[in-house]
């Protein structure tokens, strides 16, 4: 609240509640309510969001009920306006057992005998009389976690083991912490060193992942949601309980070499346990702001403070405390709700977490979001609002302090829209700070603060939702959005900066940090290397196999395709490969292998892109993710290739020279060549899937891919010795596979001519090994390319 002139004789009072004491100065009013932005916060369901106001008037103090639901009481009587003073007892919400506030007199501060009231902390700048904090906290005034230690211990004189297990010296009850997580070593010279013990989610020093590093006074050692700090002769422990603030200062994002600005000097505070909605017309920078706040695409200039810590600098550590629910689903909809959450818990929690612990947390989240009755349903069968709840549930598994949502009510009817927003209101009330980007204005009244972005990425309004339309001078939101589009010359941001709203809700609400400016993406440490790569791979393989097995149409196609192509090849090849049938049979085997391999993979990465981006941001190994695709799809593809070849050629006279293959029996050599072609085509399909932006374009590209491979396989065109075409054909897996099969059956002998007079078709060990070896090389090259493309899809701060 702003200052105002009052009678100078009004005394200072101290208001004491269960949550603490505050000195009330007569120069301002004091708001009481459940709103975290209130001066006196009462976290009780019977207390209204804005319940009452205390103000000094005519030399004394009064309390005024501001229309609360359950009332304000003194001496057991409900009051609307009442004079109060030292000794007054006030009840809120219930006259008998509602939250109580007691007013205490305070001696004049200039009295020689005067001293602070016991247990009372004055309302003063946060850094004035606070205990010493870790020096790695960029803005001490903006932190909640580091206001005071959770526990304080003498500095250890021996090595201290830290972890989740009960037999550790320091036990952290946090499922993202490994049972044996880290050790704090004490050296003979009195110095300290932190050493990670191969933990799942990493150990951090001042926000950066470390295996072992020296620890100095004031450094922050981060393990899960807990931080340790050496201060003086103490080891202080701080726990991030979720009640954290976010301070955004001067965020600017530009593209096209600075010619187009998407965000222009955006600054605002978000208090702990509050719900902020971000609205604005299309192109106003809402998604850009969300990406900047979550580290997906850091701002070119400016600072984001997570609880007083630089989010960009400490992103490797803080990313696990940030939940992000994109507009698209971030889970596999073929799975049931409980099973999808179970796999997510396996990936996010340490490998040493017992299954019972994981499932207990899953069930706890299901109860929290009212999804118990839907736990056994496939996600695709749920309504839009229920699916959004599942996405939120997935993020809540690791108890994030900050929760971001992008268009959570998009496509929902008004009733479901309000249901989702009330769910977010409940999450904020229970200890999360929630920021939601939305186009919907139906339920803004449940939010604590509203941020309106004008075209150009500037703040047109920030404050209580109820005052926004009045500030703009409109009665309805469509009128305001129409004005944003039509009145481009109006200085929306300038009007807000000059208003009292800016002074009250941005200027006076936070001490914006004087942090150094960043030029481009800040230099940060890479995320911790996954310590349990094998465990991640096993979980991903099991999950992916479950997803594929749940898709019955996919299974039917994958089973039928090799049989159909095999029958076609057998019909064309007959019982013996002759000069009339050999080329046709090999050509069908080539087409079948290309189709079976590429068709299984060409959609897999693009359709899971949102899922991958989110899981990568919380620690998923890029190589484990790709390898899970290779293992599952490779197994399916190779099995299809074997079936295809056996259906086509088992019992057929291959007419190989002397009835022998080059190194193995002819049929086995052909099976190997077809399997390698199918596998390499699968890797090529993954490459296409990683390249494209939309799933819809994959099927036309699959057809084009098959045609190109057939044309350059060497059975339709004479490629040997043709400059350009021959070299281009080297990039085609079909060229090498057909050459290997042709060498096995001695195609140059069976079908003599210029087309088959190709050195690659020779019935020799060298030629066959070269052909099959090149298939392996191409598969590896395609895999490397996919890895590089996956990197491009990751949050900017995650790229190594």
């Amino acid at each position: 609240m702003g200052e105002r002139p009052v009678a100078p004789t009004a005394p200072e009072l101290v208001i004491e509640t269960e949550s603490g004491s505050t000195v009330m100065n007569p120069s301002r009013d004091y708001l009481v309510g459940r709103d975290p932005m209130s001066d006196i916060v009462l976290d009780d369901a019977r207390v209204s969001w804005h319940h009452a106001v205390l103000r000094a008037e005519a030399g004394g103090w009064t309390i005024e009920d501001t229309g609360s639901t359950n009332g304000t009481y003194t001496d057991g009587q409900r009051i609307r306006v009442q004079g109060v003073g030292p000794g007054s007892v006030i009840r809120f919400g219930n006259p008998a057992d509602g939250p109580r506030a007691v007013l205490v007199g305070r001696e004049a501060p200039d009295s020689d005998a005067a001293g602070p009231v016991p247990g009372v902390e004055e309302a003063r700048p946060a850094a004035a009389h606070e205990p010493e904090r870790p020096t790695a906290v960029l803005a001490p005034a903006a932190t909640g976690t580091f206001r005071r230690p959770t526990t304080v211990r003498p500095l250890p004189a021996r090595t201290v083991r830290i972890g989740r297990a009960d037999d550790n010296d320091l036990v952290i009850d946090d499922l993202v912490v490994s049972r044996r997580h880290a050790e704090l070593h004490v050296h003979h010279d009195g110095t300290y060193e932190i050493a990670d013990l191969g933990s799942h989610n990493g150990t951090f020093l001042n926000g950066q992942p470390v295996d072992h590093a020296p620890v100095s006074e004031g450094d922050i050692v981060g393990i899960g949601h807990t931080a340790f700090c050496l201060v003086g002769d103490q080891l202080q422990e701080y726990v991030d309980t979720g009640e954290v603030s976010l301070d955004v200062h001067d965020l600017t994002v530009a593209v096209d070499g600075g010619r187009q600005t998407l965000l222009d000097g955006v600054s605002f505070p978000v208090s702990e346990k509050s719900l902020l909605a971000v609205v604005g017309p299309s192109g106003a920078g809402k998604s850009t702001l969300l990406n900047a706040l979550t580290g997906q695409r850091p701002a070119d200039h400016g600072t984001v403070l997570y609880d007083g810590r630089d989010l960009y600098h400490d992103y490797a550590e803080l990313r696990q405390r940030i939940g992000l629910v994109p507009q698209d689903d971030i889970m596999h909809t073929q799975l049931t709700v409980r099973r999808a959450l179970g796999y997510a818990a396996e990936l996010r929690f340490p490998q040493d977490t017992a299954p019972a612990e994981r499932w207990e947390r899953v069930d706890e989240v299901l109860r929290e979001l009212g999804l118990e009755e839907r736990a056994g349903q496939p996600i695709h069968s749920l309504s839009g609002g229920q699916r959004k709840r599942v996405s939120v549930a997935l993020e809540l598994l690791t108890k994030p302090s900050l929760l971001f949502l992008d268009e959570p009510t998009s496509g929902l009817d008004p009733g479901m829209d309000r249901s989702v927003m009330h769910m977010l209101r409940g999450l904020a009330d229970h200890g999360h700070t929630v920021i939601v980007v939305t186009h919907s204005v139906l339920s803004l009244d449940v939010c604590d603060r509203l941020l309106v972005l004008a075209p150009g990425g500037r703040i047109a309004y920030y404050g209580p939702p109820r005052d926004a339309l009045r500030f703009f001078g409109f009665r309805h939101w469509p009128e305001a959005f129409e004005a944003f589009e039509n009145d481009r010359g109006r200085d929306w941001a300038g009007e807000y900066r000059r208003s009292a709203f800016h002074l009250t809700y941005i200027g006076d609400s936070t001490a914006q940090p004087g942090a150094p400016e960043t030029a481009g993406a800040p230099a940060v440490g890479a995320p911790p290397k996954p310590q349990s790569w094998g465990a991640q791979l096993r979980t991903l393989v099991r999950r992916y196999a479950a997803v594929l097995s749940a898709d019955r149409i996919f299974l039917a196609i994958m089973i039928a395709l090799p049989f159909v192509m095999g029958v076609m090849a057998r019909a064309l090849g007959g019982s013996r490969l002759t000069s009339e049938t050999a080329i046709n049979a090999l050509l069908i085997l080539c087409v079948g292998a290309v189709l079976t391999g590429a068709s299984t993979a060409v959609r897999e990465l693009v359709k899971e892109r949102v899922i991958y981006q989110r899981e990568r941001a919380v620690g998923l190994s890029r190589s484990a993710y790709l390898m899970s695709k290779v293992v599952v799809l490779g197994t399916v593809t190779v099995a299809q290739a074997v079936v295809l070849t056996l259906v086509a050629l088992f019992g057929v006279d291959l007419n190989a020279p002397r009835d022998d293959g080059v190194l193995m029996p002819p049929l086995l050599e052909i099976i190997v060549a077809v399997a390698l072609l199918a596998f390499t085509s699968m890797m090529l399909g993954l490459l296409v899937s990683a390249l494209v932006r939309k799933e819809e374009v994959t099927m036309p590209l699959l057809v084009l891919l098959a045609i190109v491979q057939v044309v350059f396989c060497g059975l339709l065109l004479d490629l040997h010795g043709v400059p350009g075409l021959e070299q281009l054909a080297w990039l085609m897996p079909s060229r090498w596979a057909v050459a290997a099969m042709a060498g096995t059956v001695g195609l140059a002998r069976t079908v003599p001519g210029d087309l088959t007079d190709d050195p690659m078709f020779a019935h020799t060990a060298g030629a066959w090994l070269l052909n099959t070896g090149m298939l392996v090389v191409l598969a590896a090259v395609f895999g490397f390319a996919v890895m590089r493309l996956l990197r491009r899809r990751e949050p900017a701060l995650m790229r190594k």
Side-chain angles (χ1 to χ4, degrees):
M1 301 292 290
E3 295 193 358
R4 56 181 177 76
V6 295
T9 56
E12 285 189 342
L13 290 181
V14 176
I15 182 168
E16 298 180 346
T17 65
E18 290 184 0
S19 60
S21 303
T22 302
V23 176
M24 297 195 302
N25 190 293
S27 63
R28 54 167 294 190
D29 297 345
Y30 290 82
L31 299 180
V32 183
R34 211 171 71 249
D35 184 351
M37 300 296 289
S38 299
D39 300 289
I40 293 96
V41 180
L42 301 176
D43 190 11
D44 189 293
R46 295 169 294 181
V47 177
S48 295
W49 200 246
H50 300 123
H51 195 105
V53 61
L54 283 153
R55 60 170 59 94
E57 293 181 349
W61 287 84
T62 62
I63 185 167
E64 177 184 353
D65 186 279
T66 55
S68 68
T69 301
N70 295 315
T72 304
Y73 302 86
T74 60
D75 298 325
Q77 301 297 315
R78 184 165 184 166
I79 56 98
R80 193 182 73 80
V81 180
Q82 178 78 35
V84 291
S88 295
V89 178
I90 309 166
R91 293 276 187 179
F92 300 90
N94 187 288
D97 60 354
R100 188 180 74 155
V102 179
L103 299 181
V104 180
R106 188 168 186 267
E107 297 183 39
D110 57 353
S111 169
D112 292 339
V117 176
V120 173
E121 183 177 335
E122 291 190 40
R124 58 181 181 272
H129 302 290
E130 301 260 349
E132 186 177 357
R133 292 197 184 91
T135 55
V137 178
L138 181 64
T143 184
T145 301
F146 294 98
R147 284 184 189 137
R148 58 180 60 86
T150 306
T151 61
V152 176
R153 299 175 174 84
L155 287 180
R158 58 178 180 81
T159 294
V160 173
R161 177 170 289 178
I162 306 170
R164 199 177 76 252
D166 293 336
D167 58 354
N168 287 285
D169 301 298
L170 293 178
V171 179
I172 301 178
D173 185 15
D174 185 347
L175 283 181
V176 301
V177 175
S178 299
R179 295 181 65 82
R180 304 282 188 274
H181 197 104
E183 287 182 342
L184 183 63
H185 296 298
V186 183
H187 296 306
H188 296 299
D189 58 0
T191 59
Y192 292 85
E193 180 186 52
I194 188 69
D196 187 82
L197 299 179
S199 66
H200 179 84
N201 288 311
T203 301
F204 303 86
L205 182 65
N206 297 327
Q208 302 302 304
V210 295
D211 292 324
H212 52 82
V215 181
S216 303
E217 182 165 355
D219 289 340
I220 295 176
V221 175
I223 297 176
H225 291 80
T226 302
F228 297 93
C229 183
L230 308 180
V231 178
D233 59 352
Q234 298 175 338
L235 176 62
Q236 298 183 352
E237 179 183 6
Y238 302 87
V239 178
D240 183 345
T241 60
E243 299 184 11
V244 301
S245 63
L246 191 73
D247 277 278
V248 179
H249 179 54
D250 201 24
L251 292 191
T252 300
V253 175
V255 294
D256 296 335
R259 289 188 294 272
Q260 182 181 2
T261 301
L262 303 182
L263 284 182
D264 190 358
V266 172
S267 301
F268 59 90
V270 185
S271 65
E272 52 197 58
K273 295 177 63 176
S274 62
L275 174 59
L276 166 69
V278 181
V279 301
S282 298
K286 301 186 297 297
S287 296
T288 304
L289 176 63
L290 186 68
N291 289 336
L293 296 180
T294 57
Q296 300 289 310
R297 197 288 191 190
D300 302 316
H301 168 94
T303 308
V304 180
L305 289 183
Y306 172 102
D307 202 31
R309 300 176 64 183
D310 189 329
L311 175 65
Y312 292 165
H313 181 272
D314 296 354
Y315 182 78
E317 176 185 354
L318 299 179
R319 64 193 170 92
Q320 297 192 42
R321 308 186 199 178
I322 296 174
L324 173 61
V325 180
Q327 186 171 349
D328 298 322
D329 292 328
I330 53 174
M331 60 272 169
H332 297 86
T333 58
Q334 300 93 332
L335 301 176
T336 64
V337 173
R338 195 168 187 267
R339 199 172 186 185
L341 294 180
Y343 283 126
E346 283 191 52
L347 289 173
R348 300 191 182 196
F349 294 149
Q351 183 181 356
D352 58 21
T353 306
E357 293 179 286
R358 289 198 303 268
W359 288 116
E360 182 181 357
R361 178 57 187 157
V362 168
D363 293 337
E364 183 181 336
V365 170
L366 289 173
R367 288 192 299 271
E368 184 177 351
L369 295 180
L371 291 169
E372 305 102 310
E373 295 182 0
R374 310 293 181 185
Q377 282 187 236
I379 296 172
H380 65 75
S381 69
L382 302 177
S383 66
Q386 291 166 346
R387 288 170 69 164
K388 192 58 62 177
R389 285 177 180 263
V390 176
S391 293
V392 173
L394 189 150
E395 291 300 306
L396 292 183
L397 287 172
T398 55
K399 300 183 179 181
S401 301
L402 274 176
L403 184 62
F404 294 88
L405 300 99
D406 187 12
E407 300 288 354
T409 61
S410 177
L412 303 184
D413 61 63
M416 197 65 70
D417 178 301
R418 191 157 186 84
S419 173
V420 170
M421 291 300 291
H422 275 280
M423 172 192 69
L424 300 181
R425 173 73 267 163
L427 292 176
D429 292 342
H430 287 87
H432 302 276
T433 300
V434 184
I435 298 176
V436 52
V437 173
T438 180
H439 276 100
S440 175
V441 294
L442 298 177
S443 304
L444 297 180
D445 57 303
V446 305
C447 302
D448 303 303
R449 292 290 180 264
L450 174 65
L451 172 66
V452 182
L453 289 176
R458 301 181 182 91
I459 293 182
Y461 176 81
Y462 180 81
R466 64 177 180 273
D467 296 327
L469 283 175
R470 178 169 55 87
F471 172 78
F472 291 128
F474 299 106
R475 297 184 61 187
H476 305 288
W477 278 107
E479 299 173 357
F481 282 101
E482 188 177 77
F484 285 136
E485 293 293 336
N486 297 335
D487 197 357
R488 294 289 182 132
R490 182 173 172 181
D491 186 8
W492 300 95
E495 291 178 16
Y496 179 72
R497 281 195 305 270
R498 294 187 292 272
S499 71
F501 286 95
H502 182 275
L503 177 65
T504 302
Y505 297 109
I506 294 182
D508 286 348
S509 292
T510 182
Q512 292 289 357
E517 297 179 0
T518 58
V524 300
K529 296 179 180 178
Q531 300 292 338
S532 52
W533 186 91
Q536 285 197 2
L537 176 60
R538 288 191 293 273
T539 300
L540 290 168
V541 166
R542 287 190 294 106
R543 182 179 71 176
Y544 190 37
V547 169
L548 292 183
S549 62
D551 191 341
R552 296 182 180 179
I553 295 178
F554 174 85
L555 283 179
I557 294 174
M558 291 303 99
I559 292 172
L561 184 59
F563 282 99
V564 172
M565 299 301 295
V567 169
M568 291 174 59
R570 193 176 191 93
L572 291 173
S575 60
R576 176 182 171 83
L577 297 187
T578 65
S579 58
E580 290 80 18
T581 63
I583 289 181
N584 292 336
L586 296 186
L587 194 60
I588 293 297
L589 285 177
C590 171
V591 173
V594 169
L595 285 177
T596 55
S599 62
T600 58
V602 75
R603 296 169 55 245
E604 291 308 304
L605 298 184
V606 64
K607 76 179 183 182
E608 290 186 2
R609 185 159 294 157
V610 175
I611 298 174
Y612 170 73
Q613 288 174 336
R614 182 61 200 133
E615 292 184 341
R616 176 67 177 143
V618 294
L620 177 69
S621 165
R622 183 193 310 144
S623 58
Y625 175 76
L626 177 57
M627 187 56 65
S628 71
K629 300 295 183 186
V630 172
V631 169
V632 177
L633 293 178
T635 302
V636 172
T637 298
V638 169
Q640 288 177 306
V642 172
V643 171
L644 166 65
T645 310
L646 290 177
V647 171
L649 299 180
F650 186 75
V652 173
D653 183 359
L654 300 179
N655 198 17
R658 300 178 301 279
D659 292 329
D660 286 330
V662 176
L663 298 173
M664 298 175 287
L667 181 59
L668 183 56
E669 285 188 1
I670 292 179
I671 288 175
V672 170
V674 173
L676 284 174
L677 175 57
F679 183 86
T680 308
S681 297
M682 180 269 295
M683 296 300 296
L684 184 56
L686 288 177
L687 178 59
V688 171
S689 190
L691 275 170
V692 299
R693 293 181 176 273
K694 295 182 179 179
E695 187 178 345
E696 293 79 7
V697 304
T698 56
M699 288 300 106
L701 286 176
L702 174 63
V703 175
L704 178 62
L705 188 68
I707 293 174
V708 171
Q709 291 242 56
V710 171
V711 169
F712 286 95
C713 72
L715 294 178
L716 298 180
L717 296 176
D718 185 5
L719 301 173
H720 176 62
V722 182
L725 285 181
E726 182 176 25
Q727 288 72 33
L728 181 60
W730 292 345
L731 300 176
M732 305 298 163
S734 60
R735 170 67 167 151
W736 304 98
V738 165
M741 290 188 287
T744 294
V745 300
L747 191 65
R749 177 183 57 83
T750 306
V751 188
D754 293 337
L755 187 66
T756 59
D757 188 18
D758 190 328
M760 293 177 61
F761 290 5
H763 185 76
T764 64
W768 194 86
L769 290 174
L770 174 64
N771 292 327
T772 54
M774 282 302 300
L775 287 170
V776 175
V777 170
L778 284 176
V781 170
F782 295 153
F784 177 78
V786 174
M787 285 282 287
R788 301 300 295 176
L789 289 169
L790 284 175
R791 178 182 178 275
R792 291 171 51 189
R793 306 296 183 184
E794 297 169 3
L797 291 177
M798 292 288 292
R799 298 173 191 166
K800 300 182 183 179

